[in-house]
Amino acid sequence: MKLLFLLSLVCCYSIGNAETQKSLSYWNFNVLDYGARANGITDDSKAFMAAWKAACAAVGVVKLHIPAGTYLIGPTKFAGPCKNVHSLTVNMKGYLKATTDLSQYVTGDDWVEFAWVDMLILTGGGTFDGQGAVSWPYNKCPTNKHCKVLPTSVKFVATSNTLVQNIKSLNSKFFHIALVGCKNFWGKNIQITAPSNSPNTDGIHIERSTGVTIYNSVIGTGDDCISIGHSNSEILLSGISCGPGHGISIGSLGRYHNEGDVRGLVIKDSTLAGTSNGVRIKTWENSPGTSKAVNMTFENIVMNSVANPIIIDQMYCPYSSCASDGLEEMVRCGFSCE
């Protein structure tokens, strides 16, 4: 009886799942149909936003296609919620170039932002080119705590159940990819590239997120390959090839009031080569609050030509002076100044 009951449950679940799939509608949207020129000269931002608006308003399983070609776009926000979308796949085969006109980025703007979206898939083998070399001379953050923060290339804000795979990011103006307030995020086969002397070009920055897995990815930048900020839990990094760069960092932590703990971090089966640091934990002196970094595992990590393989720095200060009365002034920079 128990076996028959189990079989009936499986049968009913399979039939129910199949019926659900049959009842779903499938939609395809293409940025070219909304006016994108794909010539690398004309600003295609409005076409991208129009295609996204239509895709987000659809019902069922949705694909947004960015075909092969070169697209110039300015700051672009792909925002949800997409209330009736079962899943939304951005099939990006194109080469996206960021505008180099910094006046187009108002304070707080990043380049491409996905926000408040559930069941998002970003894939296709395309490239995000931040064209950062033009902007790097204007980045004063490595030496000036009152700096103006440049745009992050690709930012995920409060997304859930997200998959990013087979995507490239090149020469970001600031961070390449940032996750803020995300839940259940998987990233694989991500390639991130910037020169070793490019300032603050962190590969992937994670903050206030839970259930994040990054694996089988190659990252070489002028800053941390991956940085784990405050208020994170259940983070897995596996199969990461890092270098050049500053290594893989937890932190900086303890900079602001009311920071949450970092818990459940696993870094394993990864290689660091030609980096200034290996794995690093960095916390600010004179922190305005109390938080913890606990339950962290580092396993099977190979380091080649790494200057400082393991660092625990509890007096982290990237400036000439980090007096405690200056911490509040730095809050305005947000996570981007880390």
Side-chain angles (χ1 to χ4, degrees):
M1 291 297 294
K2 290 182 179 180
L3 178 59
L4 289 174
F5 178 66
L6 177 61
L7 288 173
S8 65
L9 280 177
V10 172
C11 177
C12 292
Y13 174 80
S14 300
I15 293 173
N17 188 56
E19 290 299 322
T20 300
Q21 292 297 322
K22 288 181 181 179
S23 66
L24 289 173
S25 55
Y26 295 81
W27 297 89
N28 286 278
F29 299 87
N30 191 314
V31 294
L32 297 178
D33 295 334
Y34 290 83
R37 301 291 295 277
N39 58 19
I41 301 173
T42 306
D43 188 340
D44 286 328
S45 303
K46 290 183 178 179
F48 274 57
M49 290 301 300
W52 172 267
K53 184 177 180 180
C56 188
V59 178
V61 177
V62 179
K63 286 188 177 181
L64 174 58
H65 297 277
I66 305 174
T70 301
Y71 303 83
L72 175 68
I73 62 171
T76 304
K77 295 188 178 183
F78 300 123
C82 304
K83 295 182 179 180
N84 297 311
V85 170
H86 182 267
S87 66
L88 201 166
T89 298
V90 178
N91 185 25
M92 183 182 133
K93 297 183 180 295
Y95 189 99
L96 274 59
K97 293 169 56 178
T99 178
T100 57
D101 181 3
L102 292 179
S103 67
Q104 291 193 28
Y105 302 89
V106 299
T107 301
D109 262 355
D110 293 296
W111 178 29
V112 176
E113 179 179 299
F114 296 91
W116 307 103
V117 183
D118 183 34
M119 299 296 291
L120 171 70
I121 300 172
L122 175 60
T123 187
T127 298
F128 293 94
D129 183 354
Q131 299 202 96
V134 178
S135 303
W136 294 332
Y138 299 100
N139 181 3
K140 307 302 180 184
C141 291
T143 58
N144 181 4
K145 63 186 178 184
H146 304 293
C147 64
K148 182 178 180 180
V149 177
L150 297 177
T152 290
S153 278
V154 185
K155 189 175 183 180
F156 297 87
V157 179
T159 64
S160 56
N161 305 309
T162 304
L163 171 63
V164 176
Q165 62 179 357
N166 303 324
I167 290 296
K168 304 178 184 69
S169 180
L170 177 67
N171 294 336
S172 60
K173 292 177 175 62
F174 211 69
F175 291 178
H176 283 263
I177 297 173
L179 281 59
V180 181
C182 296
K183 183 177 181 180
N184 298 333
F185 183 102
W186 293 269
K188 69 174 183 177
N189 298 331
I190 299 172
Q191 295 183 32
I192 297 175
T193 306
S196 60
N197 61 349
S198 55
N200 296 115
T201 52
D202 290 44
I204 301 174
H205 179 80
I206 306 169
E207 186 165 305
R208 299 195 293 275
S209 297
T210 184
V212 176
T213 298
I214 308 293
Y215 61 104
N216 294 351
S217 295
V218 178
I219 305 172
T221 72
D223 209 293
D224 294 328
C225 291
I226 300 177
S227 54
I228 311 296
H230 66 83
S231 310
N232 285 306
S233 62
E234 307 307 320
I235 309 296
L236 170 62
L237 310 178
S238 178
I240 306 299
S241 176
C242 169
H246 295 179
I248 298 175
S249 293
I250 296 88
S252 59
L253 304 176
R255 186 176 186 178
Y256 311 131
H257 286 285
N258 303 317
E259 287 191 9
D261 298 341
V262 175
R263 297 178 176 272
L265 169 67
V266 177
I267 304 174
K268 67 176 186 176
D269 303 332
S270 297
T271 300
L272 296 94
T275 56
S276 58
N277 305 304
V279 290
R280 175 170 58 156
I281 302 173
K282 50 183 179 178
T283 63
W284 289 74
E285 189 180 15
N286 300 319
S287 297
T290 301
S291 61
K292 300 176 182 178
V294 296
N295 190 19
M296 297 183 291
T297 301
F298 305 85
E299 178 182 337
N300 190 28
I301 299 174
V302 177
M303 301 189 193
N304 297 315
S305 300
V306 173
N308 305 292
I310 300 173
I311 298 180
I312 300 177
D313 181 0
Q314 293 189 285
M315 299 180 67
Y316 176 72
C317 175
Y319 310 112
S320 58
S321 174
C322 290
S324 58
D325 60 359
L327 285 174
E328 288 302 312
E329 188 66 26
M330 287 186 279
V331 169
R332 65 180 187 83
C333 289
F335 72 87
S336 298
C337 288
E338 298 185 10

